[in-house]
Amino acid sequence: MKNKAIGNLRLTLFLFSRNPKSNPRGYMLFLVVSLLITLSGLLVAYAILAKLHTLSSKGTAIGSSGFYGAEGALNMRVEELREVFLSDRNPSGTSPSSLDQCLQQSNLGTGDFRCKVASFASPDDATANILAYSYVVPENNGVATQGTVPPGDTFQGLNMLESRYAISAVSAKEGASPDEVIAMTEMVVKSRQIPMFQFAAFYANDLEILPGARMDLEGPVHTNGDLFLGANNNAPNGLTITGQVTVGNQLFNHRKNDNSTYPDGRVRIANGAGTLINLLSGGTGGTTQTTAAMNPANVNASWGSQVQLGVEALSIPTISTLGVGGNYAQQADINFVYAPEKTGVNVPGIGTTIIPFDVTATKRDALGAGTSTTLTNAQLASLRQPVLATGAAVTAGVCTRVGSSLTPAQIATLPTGLSDTLRIAILSQTIPVPFSATNVRFSDIDPLNLNANTTALTGIRNILFGTLNTAQQTLILPLTPNQIADLAGGCFISAPIQYRDPAATGYTATGLSFVNNRERDGGNPRTMRLLQINLESLTVWNFQGWYLDNAGTGLISANQLLFTTATADNAAPLNSFQNLGLAASDTSSNGLVFHATVSASATPNPNTNASPYGFVLVGGRQLPGLAETTNNFDPTGLTFVSDQAVYVVGNYNTVNWQPASVLADSLNVLSRLRLNNDFQLNKASLTTAPVSEDTTVNTAFLAGTDITNSTLTPGYNGGLENYPRFHENWGGRTLTYRGSFVSTGLPERVTGRWSNQVYGAPNRDWRYDTRFNNAKNLPPLSPRFVFLKQEGFSRNFDQ
């Protein structure tokens, strides 16, 4: 039609070139008719061209929408991959074998790599919606490559797991045949998973480091927010940072809460060559104190890639992932639930008793699969009583034999199973026996002045003496339970689980609530209800503990009820759990994971920011995992996780070092002197802090921290130097710490101002644990942040 119109136009021009002199009227008529025909052709041509333009415009719009839809599908799949990594698992599944299979919906694949379809409206209301088909193809079958971030890159030198994924997306009109696609796109992304425990400090929000005493940070430092640095002393006794510093926003040399500034030389940061440069002069080019941010150009000139500003905010796990529905709870080898609402149950041999906690053990294989076992009431009741340790456990130094005054001839007159009878007597008590009672003589029981210890001993004596004749009773009467245990070559250790409840009755009624001067309610210290877990006792109980049978008169071994023990390792430190065969052989998640939470039915409600609950870790100087030896190349270690407050008491991971971490809503550190004679956490004073002693803690920390000048935390939050919450007067004593501080944001259970606390700060010998630079030394289920980087992108058009 278009060619015909052009032909008419040429004919008209030809007629205009001829002008016969004869018959002018006929010529004029012919000319008019020719013009009409020509104009009609032009109108038709215009209409056709206009229609073609409209169709072309709509086609362009649809094509553009197709491209945008396909690109949107790519971005959606990238974000889905990010979320998978943040949930502490790796993407998995199968991909469609071809694009046609995805379009035809004949083979969708499975899991995170399967074909997905997204629908969006067409720009032309009369045209069907546009569908975007997408799927993911992992390189190397999805197996990540262990590597190191190259020099000059953000987070240079850190260990990483790197994976590559090719994401394909194609768009087509809804209802179109598979070969009628609009656009095809492909993106290749590189995922770097970097453990957060490779940082001396890693903060999701603003990070403040303003120490009063000297502080040397040897590892990398990162914050998604602003970084505020300062110190009260001049170099070399101020603040020194020797690792790479990455900052999401700006870098300052002043306090955040009151804008106090610091002179030049208080803070020094090493450049790539290791030379320490003063923050103020290096960041501003001068020495005038200022509240202004450091100049990016000056920072780059002074430190290069060693200090990077404006780094993209990193996606990291949140505190909520520590809860019951999170991956840590799902992958844990032992789950503890503090359930103070539990009522009395009848246990054979014990009677009616309240056991306010539950324990579930899951023995997992190397891939994490396993069968869970919920401990029975008799087993739970055993966990709350002192444990009689013998043999290898005594050799490990968990307790010291006390000896007795009996002669060999007198001992020979006693029943051979006396120690088992003593075990039954202790396990038969309706309420927990105080550990200190094991050092009280039966002859010291005063029926007119019963206390917790003598009341417990009365019940034990009644059962024990019921199996002895008069002469045997006479021999036993001046002895303590610990001296009777010594007759079998053993000694008592405190209960694996103890609980501190201000509403408790019986032996545990006196002074067992813990007053927390940091978490205050309306200005008043918060009274905490704490479940205490003795890691050392738990390890011994798993190896040689006992509980009552269904008749309540016999004993059943608890050996390996919680975890399977490893073969004794003669290459491990002498008399360590690992050396003696008490340690766990678990390699799932590269080691043991313990998770602790509070029953949702507890009153008061544990799921508020005024939660009065928490967990206490004692007996942690030696952990039940495996360290590296010549017989064991890959250490395992222990990760303890809770969505409530955690209190680490005494030396932790100081014997037979192994990868360790504590993840909690908030983190508290106390010395061993805070334990009473029953190895329970002492009630704190409202006005004065007890004296502490030198303490060493070797473990990574992940917890929530308060935010300066926030609604919930007006004023200063304490800074990195107060990341662990203190409750003692350290009085010149030293807290030695080797690990990594990670803050994931505001606590969800234990928010509280850093002000009016009753404590004296320790001398801080704090350093990043460089052993974490080796990936095999990272704790089990180490949290990682995800750094996704686009490597390639292509767009194709196929009509």
Side-chain angles (χ1 to χ4, degrees):
M1 181 68 72
K2 178 181 177 182
N3 291 337
K4 185 176 180 180
I6 294 173
N8 289 336
L9 177 60
R10 289 174 179 170
L11 174 61
T12 304
L13 293 175
F14 173 75
L15 292 174
F16 267 110
S17 68
R18 296 175 60 87
N19 187 17
K21 297 180 179 179
S22 61
N23 196 6
R25 290 184 180 180
Y27 173 76
M28 291 300 298
L29 176 61
F30 179 81
L31 181 60
V32 170
V33 172
S34 297
L35 286 173
L36 288 175
I37 293 173
T38 300
L39 291 174
S40 298
L42 288 173
L43 290 174
V44 171
Y46 175 78
I48 293 173
L49 291 173
K51 182 176 182 180
L52 287 174
H53 177 74
T54 301
L55 292 174
S56 177
S57 298
K58 290 181 179 180
T60 300
I62 293 172
S64 297
S65 297
F67 276 127
Y68 293 140
E71 290 180 28
L74 292 179
N75 293 328
M76 290 172 60
R77 299 307 292 265
V78 170
E79 189 57 34
E80 289 175 1
L81 289 176
R82 186 195 307 273
E83 293 301 320
V84 170
F85 284 118
L86 290 178
S87 68
D88 294 320
R89 70 176 181 87
N90 290 324
S92 61
T94 59
S95 310
S97 57
S98 68
L99 180 61
D100 285 343
Q101 288 187 338
C102 183
L103 285 168
Q104 296 170 2
Q105 300 286 281
S106 59
N107 176 15
L108 300 180
T110 62
D112 302 306
F113 305 144
R114 69 187 185 277
C115 176
K116 291 186 176 182
V117 184
S119 176
F120 53 94
S122 168
D124 178 11
D125 293 338
T127 305
N129 288 345
I130 294 175
L131 302 180
Y133 302 79
S134 64
Y135 65 98
V136 181
V137 178
E139 291 188 11
N140 196 28
N141 293 320
V143 177
T145 301
Q146 182 79 43
T148 303
V149 179
D153 279 12
T154 305
F155 314 118
Q156 60 188 18
L158 299 185
N159 282 291
M160 65 174 176
L161 289 174
E162 189 172 74
S163 306
R164 285 179 170 81
Y165 301 90
I167 308 174
S168 297
V170 62
S171 60
K173 294 179 183 178
E174 188 173 10
S177 61
D179 59 346
E180 295 180 314
V181 300
I182 300 173
M184 293 187 296
T185 59
E186 183 176 86
M187 180 187 295
V188 177
V189 294
K190 177 169 57 180
S191 166
R192 287 178 175 174
Q193 299 178 72
I194 301 177
M196 289 187 281
F197 290 151
Q198 291 183 111
F199 290 79
F202 186 107
Y203 268 56
N205 302 107
D206 292 349
L207 170 57
E208 301 159 82
I209 311 177
L210 308 164
R214 174 175 179 170
M215 178 179 285
D216 298 327
L217 290 179
E218 296 182 341
V221 173
H222 173 81
T223 172
N224 274 351
D226 292 321
L227 178 59
F228 297 83
L229 301 177
N232 288 342
N233 296 306
N234 290 320
N237 295 311
L239 171 62
T240 299
I241 302 175
T242 56
Q244 185 184 49
V245 177
T246 50
V247 183
N249 293 324
Q250 296 178 308
L251 174 61
F252 296 94
N253 190 206
H254 74 88
R255 293 181 70 98
K256 177 182 176 181
N257 61 307
D258 63 9
N259 287 329
S260 297
T261 59
Y262 296 91
D264 195 36
R266 296 284 181 90
V267 179
R268 300 180 299 165
I269 303 175
N271 63 12
T275 303
L276 293 173
I277 300 174
N278 291 341
L279 172 62
L280 184 60
S281 56
T284 65
T287 59
T288 302
Q289 295 176 218
T290 179
T291 60
M294 300 296 100
N295 184 286
N298 290 94
V299 169
N300 184 65
S302 297
W303 289 282
S305 62
Q306 192 70 3
V307 177
Q308 298 185 16
L309 307 180
V311 174
E312 179 183 356
L314 301 174
S315 299
I316 63 175
T318 61
I319 285 292
S320 60
T321 63
L322 306 183
V324 175
N327 188 54
Y328 292 102
Q330 302 301 315
Q331 295 296 316
D333 300 284
I334 303 179
N335 291 86
F336 301 90
V337 178
Y338 185 20
E341 80 281 1
K342 287 179 66 175
T343 56
V345 294
N346 190 286
V347 182
I350 298 176
T352 301
T353 184
I354 298 175
I355 310 173
F357 59 89
D358 292 302
V359 178
T360 300
T362 305
K363 295 180 181 178
R364 302 184 185 276
D365 59 24
L367 299 178
T371 302
S372 298
T373 301
T374 299
L375 270 59
T376 66
N377 287 325
Q379 294 163 348
L380 295 176
S382 172
L383 284 170
R384 63 183 188 166
Q385 301 291 15
V387 179
L388 201 170
T390 59
V394 178
T395 303
V398 298
C399 58
T400 302
R401 295 176 59 186
V402 297
S404 73
S405 59
L406 299 182
T407 66
Q410 291 172 321
I411 295 174
T413 66
L414 296 173
T416 56
L418 187 61
S419 59
D420 282 345
T421 305
L422 179 60
R423 286 188 176 100
I424 292 174
I426 291 176
L427 292 174
S428 298
Q429 301 307 300
T430 58
I431 46 184
V433 174
F435 173 72
S436 55
T438 63
N439 291 311
V440 177
R441 294 179 297 183
F442 290 111
S443 58
D444 288 340
I445 296 176
D446 182 358
L448 299 179
N449 185 25
L450 295 179
N451 55 34
N453 284 341
T454 57
T455 299
L457 282 181
T458 299
I460 295 171
R461 184 187 64 177
N462 291 341
I463 295 176
L464 182 63
F465 281 27
T467 65
L468 304 174
N469 59 37
T470 302
Q472 292 168 334
Q473 292 178 11
T474 301
L475 290 176
I476 296 301
L477 189 62
L479 302 183
T480 68
N482 241 333
Q483 289 176 315
I484 296 175
D486 183 75
L487 301 178
C491 45
F492 279 98
I493 57 178
S494 60
I497 299 181
Q498 299 185 66
Y499 44 92
R500 311 179 58 83
D501 189 339
T505 59
Y507 304 164
T508 61
T510 306
L512 294 184
S513 60
F514 177 75
V515 177
N516 189 321
N517 283 294
R518 172 65 180 262
E519 281 72 70
R520 292 172 173 257
D521 299 314
N524 298 315
R526 185 178 302 178
T527 301
M528 304 296 293
R529 298 183 178 188
L530 306 175
L531 190 73
Q532 180 170 300
I533 301 172
N534 189 318
L535 296 174
E536 188 174 66
S537 297
L538 195 72
T539 303
V540 174
W541 186 88
N542 177 72
F543 184 71
Q544 54 184 212
W546 299 87
Y547 59 92
L548 294 176
D549 61 16
N550 289 334
T553 57
L555 296 172
I556 300 177
S557 173
N559 190 298
Q560 303 187 73
L561 183 62
L562 298 176
F563 52 79
T564 302
T565 55
T567 303
D569 184 355
N570 58 15
L574 188 64
N575 297 334
S576 65
F577 289 157
Q578 186 171 348
N579 175 264
L580 298 169
L582 279 70
S585 63
D586 184 277
T587 57
S588 63
S589 306
N590 296 318
L592 289 171
V593 177
F594 292 175
H595 184 270
T597 190
V598 179
S599 167
S601 302
T603 301
N605 186 354
N607 297 317
T608 70
N609 61 14
S611 172
Y613 304 102
F615 294 89
V616 181
L617 295 182
V618 300
R621 68 188 184 97
Q622 182 175 183
L623 303 180
L626 302 176
E628 180 181 1
T629 69
T630 55
N631 296 332
N632 180 64
F633 174 74
D634 191 6
T636 57
L638 171 68
T639 289
F640 185 89
V641 185
S642 177
D643 56 355
Q644 300 288 331
V646 170
Y647 298 74
V648 177
V649 183
N651 290 338
Y652 195 87
N653 195 22
T654 55
V655 176
N656 196 32
W657 183 94
Q658 52 198 268
S661 62
V662 177
L663 287 64
D665 187 73
S666 69
L667 206 293
N668 304 261
V669 172
L670 303 100
S671 75
R672 184 182 59 87
L673 292 185
R674 287 307 304 272
L675 300 177
N676 59 21
N677 291 334
D678 291 317
F679 280 86
Q680 289 181 319
L681 187 60
N682 264 329
K683 179 177 181 178
S685 169
L686 297 178
T687 56
T688 59
V691 175
S692 66
E693 68 175 2
D694 291 344
T695 301
T696 299
V697 175
N698 296 321
T699 184
F701 285 151
L702 181 148
T705 54
D706 299 310
I707 301 174
T708 295
N709 294 342
S710 66
T711 302
L712 293 175
T713 315
Y716 185 41
N717 77 341
L720 178 69
E721 62 274 18
N722 286 287
Y723 179 110
R725 299 180 176 187
F726 299 116
H727 306 269
E728 299 170 279
N729 180 11
W730 288 81
R733 278 78 176 180
T734 298
L735 173 60
T736 301
Y737 176 78
R738 298 293 182 269
S740 170
F741 293 110
V742 175
S743 169
T744 57
L746 194 69
E748 296 183 2
R749 304 286 178 260
V750 283
T751 55
R753 287 188 62 183
W754 181 83
S755 65
N756 301 319
Q757 279 77 50
V758 181
Y759 81 97
N763 292 327
R764 299 178 178 93
D765 179 7
W766 295 2
R767 297 177 187 271
Y768 166 68
D769 197 330
T770 56
R771 285 172 285 203
F772 290 155
N773 288 337
N774 188 332
K776 71 179 182 180
N777 286 332
L778 289 168
L781 283 184
S782 284
R784 303 171 184 268
F785 66 83
V786 183
F787 193 65
L788 292 179
K789 184 177 181 180
Q790 179 179 317
E791 278 199 321
F793 175 76
S794 63
R795 307 172 75 186
N796 298 312
F797 182 79
D798 188 7
Q799 181 71 24

